[in-house]
Amino acid sequence: MNAAVPPLTIWRLTDAKPGHQSQSQGLVNALKRRLHCQSFDIPVSGRLQPMLSWLSATWPAGRDLPLPDLIIGAGHRTHLHMLAAQKVYGGQTVVMMQPSLPLKLFDLCLIPAHDHYRGNGRFLETRGVLNPLRPEGTHRKDQSLIMIGGPSKHCSWDGNSLLSQIVQLCRHNPTVNYCLTTSRRTPADFMPALRQLGLKNLSMTPFAETGPGWVAEQLAQSSSAWITEESTSMVYEALTARNAVGLLNMPVKRENRVSRGINQLLADQLVTRFDSLGDYKKSLHPVAGFTEADRCADWMIKRWLQTAPALQPQLVGLP
């Protein structure tokens, strides 16, 4: 990058939720790989204060920062703050996911295709949610990561079925070393029950024993990842990391945006389901080029930031 060119200034508003921070960080990182940028992370909270800031045209959090070219945020709690910051300091707003407010209030919204949004406003559809992972690493064929979620508003929990799937997976592939981890949602009795089975090619690292970046490191070392199907953000992270992705079956409560997204990935042959006959082996393969953060950054630069770092005042039509 040419250091003499004034940097594109990005304000990234964060609500302390790891999933939301991962999405916005993915986009910021992708822009930094392409443009001379400087970014500032601004924690935000509350619902009343941003409304008062917007009405009074004051937003103290940005007072000592360079004026923004882009204001990026993910999560409903960032939305009013983004509008207040833009009113006071200018810049263009980029929202990750469908916002709780009308889309026309924002300059660009990145909305997962499984939301089936068909309304007004400037938006770009994405394949799932963005993340900061990269398709790098050794991806050893004898290593695989298993990520277990838990009961959610989209899926019920069937611990016995899940234990059976993991046992069969390990026995189908005796030369593969599986490393299993859990999540905050995983029932407390799951890991003890799994340990009692004594699977020789399975090691376990509970969620509480993992640190920042642990999952990314494991995905970089593993050739495949098996994920409970309600953990969609993990599915998209594994695809981005260039892992072959298999789904562990969970009881779906009803058709919803999560199930629609998973079904589309299956239809596009980007992921495969576990089956007791082992037919999944025929379709378990890594996917090249599933880097949605890069695609969105390229689109923004080509269609919107063509004279970077100066922003175009008018967005062109979406493809």
Side-chain angles (χ1 to χ4, degrees):
M1 300 297 177
N2 186 353
V5 176
L8 186 80
T9 299
I10 302 172
W11 289 4
R12 186 174 78 104
L13 276 54
T14 64
D15 64 358
K17 293 187 176 181
H20 295 160
Q21 294 192 84
S22 177
Q23 293 181 53
S24 58
Q25 191 64 64
L27 180 60
V28 170
N29 290 354
L31 289 168
K32 284 185 172 181
R33 287 192 292 269
R34 289 156 171 77
L35 298 174
H36 179 35
C37 299
Q38 59 178 347
S39 64
F40 301 89
D41 291 351
I42 307 174
V44 298
S45 61
R47 298 179 183 274
L48 179 61
Q49 185 57 48
M51 176 61 73
L52 295 175
S53 294
W54 185 85
L55 291 172
S56 62
T58 59
W59 200 69
R63 183 178 299 147
D64 299 322
L65 299 177
L67 294 177
D69 295 305
L70 292 178
I71 302 171
I72 296 175
H76 296 316
R77 290 186 181 273
T78 67
H79 296 163
L80 282 173
H81 281 283
M82 294 175 70
L83 296 177
Q86 181 184 46
K87 184 175 182 179
V88 179
Y89 300 105
Q92 304 272 2
T93 52
V94 181
V95 178
M96 325 290 294
M97 302 185 298
Q98 186 173 334
S100 53
L101 300 172
L103 261 70
K104 64 181 180 181
L105 295 176
F106 302 93
D107 295 295
L108 178 64
C109 299
L110 306 180
I111 302 179
H114 59 236
D115 283 355
H116 287 181
Y117 179 77
R118 294 296 180 267
N120 297 321
R122 302 178 180 95
F123 69 97
L124 176 64
E125 284 192 333
T126 65
R127 294 186 296 179
V129 294
L130 275 59
N131 61 77
L133 271 71
R134 300 290 294 152
E136 300 166 348
T138 56
H139 297 297
R140 292 177 50 179
K141 292 184 178 180
D142 63 345
Q143 286 192 214
S144 181
L145 180 64
I146 300 176
M147 290 184 277
I148 305 298
S152 70
K153 61 182 180 180
H154 304 295
C155 291
S156 302
W157 175 261
D158 187 340
N160 290 332
S161 172
L162 199 52
L163 288 171
S164 175
Q165 292 176 66
I166 293 170
V167 169
Q168 293 177 73
L169 184 66
C170 291
R171 291 177 178 172
H172 286 173
N173 305 279
T175 61
V176 176
N177 297 309
Y178 291 94
C179 178
L180 181 145
T181 190
T182 55
S183 73
R184 292 184 182 91
R185 293 182 289 107
T186 308
D189 61 353
F190 179 75
M191 288 283 275
L194 188 57
R195 285 196 180 95
Q196 290 181 357
L197 298 177
L199 297 168
K200 295 182 179 180
N201 57 334
L202 177 69
S203 62
M204 288 167 273
T205 304
F207 169 79
E209 297 178 12
T210 64
W214 186 89
V215 168
E217 292 175 4
Q218 294 298 316
L219 289 174
Q221 297 170 16
S222 303
S223 63
S224 63
W226 285 90
I227 307 166
T228 51
E229 64 180 284
E230 92 295 343
S231 302
T232 52
S233 61
M234 294 293 100
V235 170
Y236 292 115
E237 287 192 2
L239 284 170
T240 304
R242 208 178 68 238
N243 288 93
V245 178
L247 301 176
L248 296 171
N249 303 303
M250 297 277 279
V252 177
K253 293 179 179 179
R254 59 186 176 278
E255 182 181 349
N256 51 62
R257 60 182 180 81
V258 169
S259 65
R260 289 196 299 267
I262 290 297
N263 288 337
Q264 188 60 57
L265 292 175
L266 288 165
D268 293 339
Q269 299 183 347
L270 298 175
V271 302
T272 189
R273 280 192 180 280
F274 174 83
D275 67 280
S276 59
L277 297 177
D279 288 341
Y280 62 82
K281 295 182 182 182
K282 302 173 185 177
S283 52
L284 186 66
H285 59 83
V287 176
F290 196 98
T291 50
E292 286 297 276
D294 287 346
R295 185 179 70 86
C296 290
D298 287 337
W299 187 93
M300 290 170 64
I301 292 168
K302 179 180 179 181
R303 303 295 186 92
W304 198 16
L305 310 177
Q306 295 179 7
T307 58
L311 293 179
Q312 297 296 313
Q314 182 70 36
L315 270 175
V316 302
L318 299 178

